[in-house]
PDB file of all heavy atoms in Angstrom:
ATOM      1  N   LEU A  98     -31.779  26.295   8.619  1.00  0.00           N
ATOM      2  CA  LEU A  98     -31.428  25.334   9.654  1.00  0.00           C
ATOM      3  C   LEU A  98     -30.060  24.745   9.334  1.00  0.00           C
ATOM      4  O   LEU A  98     -29.778  24.427   8.174  1.00  0.00           O
ATOM      5  CB  LEU A  98     -32.451  24.200   9.712  1.00  0.00           C
ATOM      6  CG  LEU A  98     -33.941  24.563   9.729  1.00  0.00           C
ATOM      7  CD1 LEU A  98     -34.788  23.299   9.768  1.00  0.00           C
ATOM      8  CD2 LEU A  98     -34.261  25.452  10.916  1.00  0.00           C
ATOM      9  N   ILE A  99     -29.221  24.596  10.357  1.00  0.00           N
ATOM     10  CA  ILE A  99     -27.894  24.029  10.112  1.00  0.00           C
ATOM     11  C   ILE A  99     -27.378  23.335  11.359  1.00  0.00           C
ATOM     12  O   ILE A  99     -27.593  23.794  12.489  1.00  0.00           O
ATOM     13  CB  ILE A  99     -26.894  25.113   9.636  1.00  0.00           C
ATOM     14  CG1 ILE A  99     -25.577  24.460   9.189  1.00  0.00           C
ATOM     15  CG2 ILE A  99     -26.660  26.166  10.700  1.00  0.00           C
ATOM     16  CD1 ILE A  99     -24.673  25.395   8.414  1.00  0.00           C
ATOM     17  N   SER A 100     -26.706  22.223  11.158  1.00  0.00           N
ATOM     18  CA  SER A 100     -26.146  21.448  12.257  1.00  0.00           C
ATOM     19  C   SER A 100     -25.010  22.206  12.940  1.00  0.00           C
ATOM     20  O   SER A 100     -24.237  22.919  12.292  1.00  0.00           O
ATOM     21  CB  SER A 100     -25.629  20.112  11.724  1.00  0.00           C
ATOM     22  OG  SER A 100     -24.797  19.480  12.667  1.00  0.00           O
ATOM     23  N   LYS A 101     -24.901  22.021  14.241  1.00  0.00           N
ATOM     24  CA  LYS A 101     -23.784  22.600  14.991  1.00  0.00           C
ATOM     25  C   LYS A 101     -22.454  21.943  14.640  1.00  0.00           C
ATOM     26  O   LYS A 101     -21.396  22.459  15.008  1.00  0.00           O
ATOM     27  CB  LYS A 101     -24.043  22.476  16.497  1.00  0.00           C
ATOM     28  CG  LYS A 101     -25.183  23.352  17.002  1.00  0.00           C
ATOM     29  CD  LYS A 101     -25.383  23.178  18.495  1.00  0.00           C
ATOM     30  CE  LYS A 101     -26.522  24.066  19.005  1.00  0.00           C
ATOM     31  NZ  LYS A 101     -26.754  23.885  20.455  1.00  0.00           N
ATOM     32  N   LEU A 102     -22.490  20.833  13.915  1.00  0.00           N
ATOM     33  CA  LEU A 102     -21.268  20.154  13.485  1.00  0.00           C
ATOM     34  C   LEU A 102     -20.811  20.600  12.097  1.00  0.00           C
ATOM     35  O   LEU A 102     -20.007  19.935  11.474  1.00  0.00           O
ATOM     36  CB  LEU A 102     -21.469  18.636  13.497  1.00  0.00           C
ATOM     37  CG  LEU A 102     -21.518  17.957  14.861  1.00  0.00           C
ATOM     38  CD1 LEU A 102     -21.704  16.449  14.717  1.00  0.00           C
ATOM     39  CD2 LEU A 102     -20.248  18.244  15.658  1.00  0.00           C
ATOM     40  N   SER A 103     -21.331  21.708  11.623  1.00  0.00           N
ATOM     41  CA  SER A 103     -20.947  22.203  10.303  1.00  0.00           C
ATOM     42  C   SER A 103     -19.608  22.928  10.359  1.00  0.00           C
ATOM     43  O   SER A 103     -19.191  23.432  11.403  1.00  0.00           O
ATOM     44  CB  SER A 103     -22.023  23.146   9.760  1.00  0.00           C
ATOM     45  OG  SER A 103     -23.247  22.465   9.593  1.00  0.00           O
ATOM     46  N   PHE A 104     -18.935  23.009   9.210  1.00  0.00           N
ATOM     47  CA  PHE A 104     -17.628  23.661   9.128  1.00  0.00           C
ATOM     48  C   PHE A 104     -17.788  25.165   9.382  1.00  0.00           C
ATOM     49  O   PHE A 104     -18.740  25.791   8.897  1.00  0.00           O
ATOM     50  CB  PHE A 104     -17.023  23.418   7.746  1.00  0.00           C
ATOM     51  CG  PHE A 104     -15.564  23.746   7.656  1.00  0.00           C
ATOM     52  CD1 PHE A 104     -14.627  22.992   8.343  1.00  0.00           C
ATOM     53  CD2 PHE A 104     -15.134  24.824   6.887  1.00  0.00           C
ATOM     54  CE1 PHE A 104     -13.279  23.291   8.261  1.00  0.00           C
ATOM     55  CE2 PHE A 104     -13.787  25.133   6.796  1.00  0.00           C
ATOM     56  CZ  PHE A 104     -12.850  24.368   7.485  1.00  0.00           C
ATOM     57  N   PRO A 105     -16.873  25.781  10.148  1.00  0.00           N
ATOM     58  CA  PRO A 105     -17.030  27.193  10.552  1.00  0.00           C
ATOM     59  C   PRO A 105     -17.227  28.172   9.401  1.00  0.00           C
ATOM     60  O   PRO A 105     -18.003  29.119   9.521  1.00  0.00           O
ATOM     61  CB  PRO A 105     -15.728  27.483  11.308  1.00  0.00           C
ATOM     62  CG  PRO A 105     -15.290  26.163  11.829  1.00  0.00           C
ATOM     63  CD  PRO A 105     -15.707  25.151  10.800  1.00  0.00           C
ATOM     64  N   SER A 106     -16.538  27.950   8.268  1.00  0.00           N
ATOM     65  CA  SER A 106     -16.664  28.915   7.169  1.00  0.00           C
ATOM     66  C   SER A 106     -18.062  28.917   6.567  1.00  0.00           C
ATOM     67  O   SER A 106     -18.493  29.920   5.991  1.00  0.00           O
ATOM     68  CB  SER A 106     -15.625  28.633   6.080  1.00  0.00           C
ATOM     69  OG  SER A 106     -15.885  27.402   5.438  1.00  0.00           O
ATOM     70  N   ILE A 107     -18.781  27.805   6.688  1.00  0.00           N
ATOM     71  CA  ILE A 107     -20.154  27.754   6.182  1.00  0.00           C
ATOM     72  C   ILE A 107     -21.067  28.585   7.087  1.00  0.00           C
ATOM     73  O   ILE A 107     -21.957  29.298   6.606  1.00  0.00           O
ATOM     74  CB  ILE A 107     -20.649  26.300   6.094  1.00  0.00           C
ATOM     75  CG1 ILE A 107     -19.675  25.447   5.250  1.00  0.00           C
ATOM     76  CG2 ILE A 107     -22.047  26.248   5.510  1.00  0.00           C
ATOM     77  CD1 ILE A 107     -19.424  25.992   3.869  1.00  0.00           C
ATOM     78  N   ILE A 108     -20.828  28.522   8.381  1.00  0.00           N
ATOM     79  CA  ILE A 108     -21.572  29.368   9.322  1.00  0.00           C
ATOM     80  C   ILE A 108     -21.279  30.833   9.036  1.00  0.00           C
ATOM     81  O   ILE A 108     -22.193  31.674   8.987  1.00  0.00           O
ATOM     82  CB  ILE A 108     -21.185  29.038  10.777  1.00  0.00           C
ATOM     83  CG1 ILE A 108     -21.423  27.558  11.094  1.00  0.00           C
ATOM     84  CG2 ILE A 108     -21.952  29.932  11.738  1.00  0.00           C
ATOM     85  CD1 ILE A 108     -22.843  27.123  11.104  1.00  0.00           C
ATOM     86  N   SER A 109     -19.995  31.164   8.818  1.00  0.00           N
ATOM     87  CA  SER A 109     -19.610  32.548   8.523  1.00  0.00           C
ATOM     88  C   SER A 109     -20.286  33.050   7.253  1.00  0.00           C
ATOM     89  O   SER A 109     -20.716  34.209   7.175  1.00  0.00           O
ATOM     90  CB  SER A 109     -18.089  32.656   8.371  1.00  0.00           C
ATOM     91  OG  SER A 109     -17.428  32.307   9.560  1.00  0.00           O
ATOM     92  N   LEU A 110     -20.375  32.183   6.268  1.00  0.00           N
ATOM     93  CA  LEU A 110     -21.037  32.544   5.015  1.00  0.00           C
ATOM     94  C   LEU A 110     -22.490  32.924   5.254  1.00  0.00           C
ATOM     95  O   LEU A 110     -22.981  33.945   4.737  1.00  0.00           O
ATOM     96  CB  LEU A 110     -20.929  31.382   4.035  1.00  0.00           C
ATOM     97  CG  LEU A 110     -21.712  31.473   2.734  1.00  0.00           C
ATOM     98  CD1 LEU A 110     -21.337  32.716   1.961  1.00  0.00           C
ATOM     99  CD2 LEU A 110     -21.470  30.205   1.896  1.00  0.00           C
ATOM    100  N   LEU A 111     -23.199  32.130   6.047  1.00  0.00           N
ATOM    101  CA  LEU A 111     -24.605  32.421   6.339  1.00  0.00           C
ATOM    102  C   LEU A 111     -24.739  33.702   7.150  1.00  0.00           C
ATOM    103  O   LEU A 111     -25.676  34.486   6.947  1.00  0.00           O
ATOM    104  CB  LEU A 111     -25.229  31.251   7.094  1.00  0.00           C
ATOM    105  CG  LEU A 111     -25.355  29.939   6.313  1.00  0.00           C
ATOM    106  CD1 LEU A 111     -25.861  28.818   7.218  1.00  0.00           C
ATOM    107  CD2 LEU A 111     -26.287  30.104   5.109  1.00  0.00           C
ATOM    108  N   LEU A 112     -23.799  33.940   8.056  1.00  0.00           N
ATOM    109  CA  LEU A 112     -23.816  35.184   8.837  1.00  0.00           C
ATOM    110  C   LEU A 112     -23.607  36.393   7.930  1.00  0.00           C
ATOM    111  O   LEU A 112     -24.266  37.424   8.083  1.00  0.00           O
ATOM    112  CB  LEU A 112     -22.741  35.139   9.920  1.00  0.00           C
ATOM    113  CG  LEU A 112     -22.978  34.157  11.078  1.00  0.00           C
ATOM    114  CD1 LEU A 112     -21.748  34.082  11.971  1.00  0.00           C
ATOM    115  CD2 LEU A 112     -24.202  34.575  11.898  1.00  0.00           C
ATOM    116  N   ASN A 113     -22.686  36.265   6.968  1.00  0.00           N
ATOM    117  CA  ASN A 113     -22.439  37.367   6.038  1.00  0.00           C
ATOM    118  C   ASN A 113     -23.642  37.628   5.131  1.00  0.00           C
ATOM    119  O   ASN A 113     -23.856  38.766   4.682  1.00  0.00           O
ATOM    120  CB  ASN A 113     -21.203  37.065   5.187  1.00  0.00           C
ATOM    121  CG  ASN A 113     -19.916  37.172   5.974  1.00  0.00           C
ATOM    122  OD1 ASN A 113     -19.826  37.950   6.923  1.00  0.00           O
ATOM    123  ND2 ASN A 113     -18.916  36.391   5.616  1.00  0.00           N
ATOM    124  N   LEU A 114     -24.408  36.587   4.869  1.00  0.00           N
ATOM    125  CA  LEU A 114     -25.624  36.745   4.069  1.00  0.00           C
ATOM    126  C   LEU A 114     -26.794  37.290   4.897  1.00  0.00           C
ATOM    127  O   LEU A 114     -27.857  37.573   4.368  1.00  0.00           O
ATOM    128  CB  LEU A 114     -26.024  35.404   3.447  1.00  0.00           C
ATOM    129  CG  LEU A 114     -25.181  34.932   2.261  1.00  0.00           C
ATOM    130  CD1 LEU A 114     -25.497  33.480   1.920  1.00  0.00           C
ATOM    131  CD2 LEU A 114     -25.414  35.816   1.048  1.00  0.00           C
ATOM    132  N   ARG A 115     -26.564  37.406   6.211  1.00  0.00           N
ATOM    133  CA  ARG A 115     -27.563  37.938   7.155  1.00  0.00           C
ATOM    134  C   ARG A 115     -28.831  37.081   7.193  1.00  0.00           C
ATOM    135  O   ARG A 115     -29.955  37.590   7.223  1.00  0.00           O
ATOM    136  CB  ARG A 115     -27.893  39.394   6.818  1.00  0.00           C
ATOM    137  CG  ARG A 115     -26.697  40.325   6.943  1.00  0.00           C
ATOM    138  CD  ARG A 115     -27.059  41.755   6.677  1.00  0.00           C
ATOM    139  NE  ARG A 115     -25.892  42.623   6.826  1.00  0.00           N
ATOM    140  CZ  ARG A 115     -25.901  43.945   6.656  1.00  0.00           C
ATOM    141  NH1 ARG A 115     -27.045  44.542   6.310  1.00  0.00           N
ATOM    142  NH2 ARG A 115     -24.810  44.652   6.823  1.00  0.00           N
ATOM    143  N   CYS A 116     -28.589  35.789   7.185  1.00  0.00           N
ATOM    144  CA  CYS A 116     -29.719  34.858   7.315  1.00  0.00           C
ATOM    145  C   CYS A 116     -30.167  34.782   8.770  1.00  0.00           C
ATOM    146  O   CYS A 116     -29.450  35.189   9.688  1.00  0.00           O
ATOM    147  CB  CYS A 116     -29.296  33.463   6.862  1.00  0.00           C
ATOM    148  SG  CYS A 116     -28.719  33.401   5.166  1.00  0.00           S
ATOM    149  N   LYS A 117     -31.331  34.218   8.962  1.00  0.00           N
ATOM    150  CA  LYS A 117     -31.794  33.883  10.303  1.00  0.00           C
ATOM    151  C   LYS A 117     -31.450  32.408  10.529  1.00  0.00           C
ATOM    152  O   LYS A 117     -32.097  31.522   9.989  1.00  0.00           O
ATOM    153  CB  LYS A 117     -33.299  34.126  10.426  1.00  0.00           C
ATOM    154  CG  LYS A 117     -33.684  35.598  10.300  1.00  0.00           C
ATOM    155  CD  LYS A 117     -35.185  35.787  10.420  1.00  0.00           C
ATOM    156  CE  LYS A 117     -35.545  37.266  10.311  1.00  0.00           C
ATOM    157  NZ  LYS A 117     -37.022  37.484  10.372  1.00  0.00           N
ATOM    158  N   ILE A 118     -30.410  32.177  11.312  1.00  0.00           N
ATOM    159  CA  ILE A 118     -29.868  30.834  11.467  1.00  0.00           C
ATOM    160  C   ILE A 118     -30.493  30.138  12.668  1.00  0.00           C
ATOM    161  O   ILE A 118     -30.589  30.711  13.753  1.00  0.00           O
ATOM    162  CB  ILE A 118     -28.337  30.875  11.632  1.00  0.00           C
ATOM    163  CG1 ILE A 118     -27.697  31.615  10.461  1.00  0.00           C
ATOM    164  CG2 ILE A 118     -27.774  29.466  11.749  1.00  0.00           C
ATOM    165  CD1 ILE A 118     -26.205  31.813  10.609  1.00  0.00           C
ATOM    166  N   VAL A 119     -30.902  28.899  12.453  1.00  0.00           N
ATOM    167  CA  VAL A 119     -31.379  28.044  13.541  1.00  0.00           C
ATOM    168  C   VAL A 119     -30.387  26.885  13.666  1.00  0.00           C
ATOM    169  O   VAL A 119     -30.258  26.075  12.750  1.00  0.00           O
ATOM    170  CB  VAL A 119     -32.797  27.498  13.267  1.00  0.00           C
ATOM    171  CG1 VAL A 119     -33.240  26.591  14.415  1.00  0.00           C
ATOM    172  CG2 VAL A 119     -33.787  28.641  13.072  1.00  0.00           C
ATOM    173  N   TYR A 120     -29.661  26.834  14.783  1.00  0.00           N
ATOM    174  CA  TYR A 120     -28.647  25.807  14.981  1.00  0.00           C
ATOM    175  C   TYR A 120     -29.292  24.531  15.526  1.00  0.00           C
ATOM    176  O   TYR A 120     -30.078  24.573  16.469  1.00  0.00           O
ATOM    177  CB  TYR A 120     -27.572  26.299  15.940  1.00  0.00           C
ATOM    178  CG  TYR A 120     -26.789  27.474  15.411  1.00  0.00           C
ATOM    179  CD1 TYR A 120     -27.079  28.772  15.829  1.00  0.00           C
ATOM    180  CD2 TYR A 120     -25.766  27.290  14.482  1.00  0.00           C
ATOM    181  CE1 TYR A 120     -26.372  29.859  15.339  1.00  0.00           C
ATOM    182  CE2 TYR A 120     -25.059  28.373  13.983  1.00  0.00           C
ATOM    183  CZ  TYR A 120     -25.357  29.656  14.411  1.00  0.00           C
ATOM    184  OH  TYR A 120     -24.656  30.728  13.925  1.00  0.00           O
ATOM    185  N   LEU A 121     -28.919  23.399  14.919  1.00  0.00           N
ATOM    186  CA  LEU A 121     -29.498  22.116  15.290  1.00  0.00           C
ATOM    187  C   LEU A 121     -28.497  21.272  16.068  1.00  0.00           C
ATOM    188  O   LEU A 121     -27.333  21.148  15.671  1.00  0.00           O
ATOM    189  CB  LEU A 121     -29.939  21.354  14.045  1.00  0.00           C
ATOM    190  CG  LEU A 121     -30.919  22.063  13.106  1.00  0.00           C
ATOM    191  CD1 LEU A 121     -31.236  21.174  11.908  1.00  0.00           C
ATOM    192  CD2 LEU A 121     -32.193  22.454  13.833  1.00  0.00           C
ATOM    193  N   ASP A 122     -28.950  20.689  17.164  1.00  0.00           N
ATOM    194  CA  ASP A 122     -28.144  19.723  17.896  1.00  0.00           C
ATOM    195  C   ASP A 122     -28.120  18.401  17.139  1.00  0.00           C
ATOM    196  O   ASP A 122     -28.908  18.171  16.213  1.00  0.00           O
ATOM    197  CB  ASP A 122     -28.714  19.503  19.296  1.00  0.00           C
ATOM    198  CG  ASP A 122     -28.466  20.690  20.212  1.00  0.00           C
ATOM    199  OD1 ASP A 122     -27.331  21.207  20.203  1.00  0.00           O
ATOM    200  OD2 ASP A 122     -29.402  21.099  20.923  1.00  0.00           O
ATOM    201  N   VAL A 123     -27.196  17.526  17.539  1.00  0.00           N
ATOM    202  CA  VAL A 123     -27.143  16.180  16.969  1.00  0.00           C
ATOM    203  C   VAL A 123     -27.230  15.162  18.097  1.00  0.00           C
ATOM    204  O   VAL A 123     -26.869  15.446  19.244  1.00  0.00           O
ATOM    205  CB  VAL A 123     -25.854  15.948  16.153  1.00  0.00           C
ATOM    206  CG1 VAL A 123     -25.792  16.881  14.959  1.00  0.00           C
ATOM    207  CG2 VAL A 123     -24.621  16.118  17.027  1.00  0.00           C
ATOM    208  N   ASP A 124     -27.723  13.969  17.771  1.00  0.00           N
ATOM    209  CA  ASP A 124     -27.804  12.918  18.785  1.00  0.00           C
ATOM    210  C   ASP A 124     -26.514  12.090  18.781  1.00  0.00           C
ATOM    211  O   ASP A 124     -25.547  12.413  18.079  1.00  0.00           O
ATOM    212  CB  ASP A 124     -29.046  12.050  18.563  1.00  0.00           C
ATOM    213  CG  ASP A 124     -29.034  11.309  17.231  1.00  0.00           C
ATOM    214  OD1 ASP A 124     -27.942  11.146  16.630  1.00  0.00           O
ATOM    215  OD2 ASP A 124     -30.111  10.885  16.777  1.00  0.00           O
ATOM    216  N   LYS A 125     -26.502  11.025  19.535  1.00  0.00           N
ATOM    217  CA  LYS A 125     -25.292  10.221  19.675  1.00  0.00           C
ATOM    218  C   LYS A 125     -24.915   9.481  18.396  1.00  0.00           C
ATOM    219  O   LYS A 125     -23.799   8.970  18.268  1.00  0.00           O
ATOM    220  CB  LYS A 125     -25.447   9.234  20.832  1.00  0.00           C
ATOM    221  CG  LYS A 125     -26.551   8.201  20.632  1.00  0.00           C
ATOM    222  CD  LYS A 125     -26.648   7.290  21.844  1.00  0.00           C
ATOM    223  CE  LYS A 125     -27.740   6.227  21.663  1.00  0.00           C
ATOM    224  NZ  LYS A 125     -27.814   5.336  22.854  1.00  0.00           N
ATOM    225  N   ASN A 126     -25.845   9.433  17.433  1.00  0.00           N
ATOM    226  CA  ASN A 126     -25.569   8.815  16.136  1.00  0.00           C
ATOM    227  C   ASN A 126     -25.205   9.843  15.071  1.00  0.00           C
ATOM    228  O   ASN A 126     -25.197   9.535  13.876  1.00  0.00           O
ATOM    229  CB  ASN A 126     -26.774   7.992  15.679  1.00  0.00           C
ATOM    230  CG  ASN A 126     -27.005   6.784  16.562  1.00  0.00           C
ATOM    231  OD1 ASN A 126     -26.071   6.064  16.896  1.00  0.00           O
ATOM    232  ND2 ASN A 126     -28.244   6.572  16.973  1.00  0.00           N
ATOM    233  N   LEU A 127     -24.914  11.070  15.521  1.00  0.00           N
ATOM    234  CA  LEU A 127     -24.529  12.180  14.643  1.00  0.00           C
ATOM    235  C   LEU A 127     -25.650  12.586  13.683  1.00  0.00           C
ATOM    236  O   LEU A 127     -25.399  13.143  12.610  1.00  0.00           O
ATOM    237  CB  LEU A 127     -23.260  11.843  13.853  1.00  0.00           C
ATOM    238  CG  LEU A 127     -22.018  11.500  14.693  1.00  0.00           C
ATOM    239  CD1 LEU A 127     -20.833  11.186  13.798  1.00  0.00           C
ATOM    240  CD2 LEU A 127     -21.667  12.621  15.649  1.00  0.00           C
ATOM    241  N   GLN A 128     -26.882  12.300  14.078  1.00  0.00           N
ATOM    242  CA  GLN A 128     -28.054  12.690  13.292  1.00  0.00           C
ATOM    243  C   GLN A 128     -28.612  14.004  13.839  1.00  0.00           C
ATOM    244  O   GLN A 128     -28.686  14.197  15.053  1.00  0.00           O
ATOM    245  CB  GLN A 128     -29.135  11.610  13.373  1.00  0.00           C
ATOM    246  CG  GLN A 128     -28.679  10.246  12.885  1.00  0.00           C
ATOM    247  CD  GLN A 128     -28.362  10.240  11.398  1.00  0.00           C
ATOM    248  OE1 GLN A 128     -29.195  10.624  10.568  1.00  0.00           O
ATOM    249  NE2 GLN A 128     -27.167   9.808  11.052  1.00  0.00           N
TER     250      GLN A 128
END
Side-chain angles (χ1 to χ4, degrees):
L98 312 179
I99 188 166
S100 166
K101 291 180 180 179
L102 287 181
S103 298
F104 194 68
S106 67
I107 305 305
I108 303 293
S109 298
L110 172 57
L111 294 174
L112 290 172
N113 288 330
L114 285 169
R115 297 183 179 180
C116 301
K117 294 180 179 178
I118 305 175
V119 179
Y120 296 100
L121 304 179
D122 287 315
V123 297
D124 63 20
K125 64 181 181 179
N126 293 314
L127 302 180
Q128 302 294 306

